[in-house]
Amino acid sequence: QGLKPLAPTDYPHLIFGTSKPAPGLSAADSFLRKNKVPDLQKVFQRSDGLPVHLKLGYPDKLLYRTTMALTIGGTIYCLVALFIASQPKKQ
């Protein structure tokens, strides 16, 4: 009787390896856009002294400062809550 192989020996053809447009899209709707990777590499590899999470300008600074404010505010809130919780209850 012999053992059966665990994996199938024949593999189905790839359906995403074609250059045909998806059904319902016209041939003019192309998903091939300008490659932005080289431009972003230039931005992120520039030696301007900024950390990588602040390289894209104002939106990055806004997100960074909001995150830092929430972190510091949350830490202060937790410390105050722990201080209040550690106080003996008055009867």
Side-chain angles (χ1 to χ4, degrees):
Q1 290 224 351
L3 299 173
K4 294 182 180 179
L6 294 177
T9 56
D10 58 333
Y11 296 100
H13 295 290
L14 297 176
I15 59 171
F16 55 85
T18 64
S19 60
K20 295 179 188 176
L25 293 176
S26 68
D29 291 336
S30 174
F31 292 106
L32 299 176
R33 305 260 191 255
K34 183 180 180 284
N35 188 3
K36 296 180 182 179
V37 172
D39 297 331
L40 289 174
Q41 283 177 339
K42 288 177 188 173
V43 169
F44 287 115
Q45 292 177 355
R46 187 176 23 196
S47 177
D48 54 4
L50 287 174
V52 70
H53 56 274
L54 295 176
K55 292 258 185 181
L56 289 182
Y58 184 74
D60 283 347
K61 289 179 185 175
L62 182 66
L63 285 172
Y64 177 74
R65 290 178 180 164
T66 303
T67 303
M68 296 307 332
L70 288 171
T71 302
I72 292 169
T75 302
I76 292 171
Y77 175 79
C78 288
L79 291 174
V80 168
L82 284 173
F83 176 76
I84 292 172
S86 68
Q87 298 301 310
K89 303 267 184 197
K90 293 183 182 179
Q91 294 183 4

